[in-house]
Amino acid sequence: MSRLHHTTSAACCCSKTRSGEKYTDPFKLGWRDLNGLYEDIRKELLISTAELKEMSEYYFDGKGKAFRPIIVVLMARACNIHHNNSRDVQASQRSIALIAEMIHTASLVHDDVIDDASSRRGKHTVNKIWGEKKAVLAGDLILSAASIALARIGNTAVISILTQVIEDLVRGEFLQLGSKENENERFAHYLEKTFKKTASLIANSCKAVCLCPRMPGPSGA
Ligand code: FPP
Ligand code: MG
């Protein structure tokens, strides 16, 4: 990130904004709109069963990089400046950032079952602590909470884009289970797998925030 803080006049003109300010670290810029991200995600996981609640909240401990939500709110800001000359991220756009993080986390909980992984982000995995069966259900629970939050935004185009992401994740993970003998096919297979498993969530979440800059969000803002 330090590369983004150009200080010398030898740096290219893009190192300064039009008002002459230095560029801000995008992570700092994004976090302004994501204050309370993990608390808000935990509020979405309204579960009465103590164990299921503990399992599904396990990775929303505030220690993740929140890479996807940050990219999403930065894209939202860029779109809003372009469309409305407004820097404010709308509630519906912030919800998409939360939903992206929830879909991503649900997929990781399932991926750790598939990979029989025992550690993630410096802690034991959900499957390692609670076992595979309960880990699958915890991932399902996070995904269902994300779907409820998505439905609440009430924009069918956004729902369609983000449900496509879920399909892509499943297809990408499935593609990873297979391989190709031929070298050209192998590269094409790799690109498709990587787009579906990784890029689709980022690209489509960015597409979704561009579609709802003026939509009212869950809080009616
Ligand atoms: C990490 O892969 C896994 C993913 C990016 C996606 C996994 C997708 C699924 C399990 C499909 C189910 C999807 C949902 C939404 C429930 P990796 O093993 O290469 O990376 P890692 O080292 O972080 O585990
Ligand atoms: Mg894995």
Side-chain angles (χ1 to χ4, degrees), residues 111 114-115 168-177 197:
D111 176 72
I114 293 168
D115 294 348
D168 284 349
L169 282 165
V170 174
R171 286 184 185 275
E173 188 77 354
F174 202 80
L175 279 170
Q176 189 168 291
L177 299 177
K197 247 188 85 176

Side-chain angles (χ1 to χ4, degrees), residues 2-221:
S2 58
R3 279 194 301 125
L4 293 160
H5 295 287
H6 297 296
T7 49
T8 65
S9 55
C12 95
C13 60
C14 331
S15 65
K16 292 201 171 171
T17 60
R18 262 189 286 171
S19 59
E21 297 162 27
K22 276 182 222 128
Y23 273 137
T24 312
D25 178 335
F27 274 82
K28 282 191 191 146
L29 188 62
W31 267 118
R32 285 184 208 165
D33 299 310
L34 290 174
N35 241 331
L37 168 80
Y38 292 108
E39 288 85 344
D40 290 348
I41 289 180
R42 289 198 296 270
K43 280 185 210 148
E44 295 289 348
L45 301 167
L46 285 173
I47 309 148
S48 50
T49 318
E51 192 180 30
L52 196 49
K53 186 171 161 59
E54 195 188 346
M55 289 162 68
S56 51
E57 287 184 349
Y58 183 67
Y59 288 124
F60 301 117
D61 57 3
K63 294 188 184 135
K65 293 188 295 296
F67 174 70
R68 287 155 188 80
I70 294 219
I71 298 280
V72 169
V73 291
L74 291 177
M75 177 55 81
R77 269 173 172 259
C79 278
N80 296 354
I81 289 168
H82 185 71
H83 287 298
N84 320 327
N85 203 20
S86 152
R87 284 173 187 270
D88 298 331
V89 169
Q90 301 295 311
S92 56
Q93 294 175 314
R94 191 174 179 280
S95 290
I96 292 170
L98 261 73
I99 291 162
E101 184 70 357
M102 292 169 82
I103 294 174
H104 173 60
T105 304
S107 79
L108 295 183
V109 172
H110 283 185
D111 176 72
D112 285 339
V113 173
I114 293 168
D115 294 348
D116 193 21
S118 56
S119 70
R120 177 169 296 281
R121 298 183 183 160
K123 19 200 248 184
H124 287 316
T125 53
V126 176
N127 48 299
K128 165 100 176 169
I129 301 175
W130 287 279
E132 289 187 354
K133 291 179 186 173
K134 288 182 178 175
V136 169
L137 295 174
D140 288 344
L141 202 285
I142 297 167
L143 193 58
S144 73
S147 307
I148 293 168
L150 180 57
R152 207 187 301 127
I153 295 174
N155 180 324
T156 50
V158 169
I159 292 171
S160 158
I161 289 168
L162 292 179
T163 47
Q164 178 64 54
V165 168
I166 298 171
E167 182 188 327
D168 284 349
L169 282 165
V170 174
R171 286 184 185 275
E173 188 77 354
F174 202 80
L175 279 170
Q176 189 168 291
L177 299 177
S179 61
K180 297 281 172 203
E181 291 295 317
N182 171 290
E183 198 173 320
N184 286 338
E185 282 183 13
R186 199 157 58 225
F187 191 57
H189 182 267
Y190 167 79
L191 288 181
E192 190 184 352
K193 182 273 299 174
T194 304
F195 175 78
K196 291 197 159 126
K197 247 188 85 176
T198 307
S200 172
L201 175 59
I202 299 171
N204 281 306
S205 307
C206 287
K207 187 172 169 186
V209 280
C210 298
L211 288 183
C212 63
R214 296 184 201 87
M215 289 277 307
S219 63

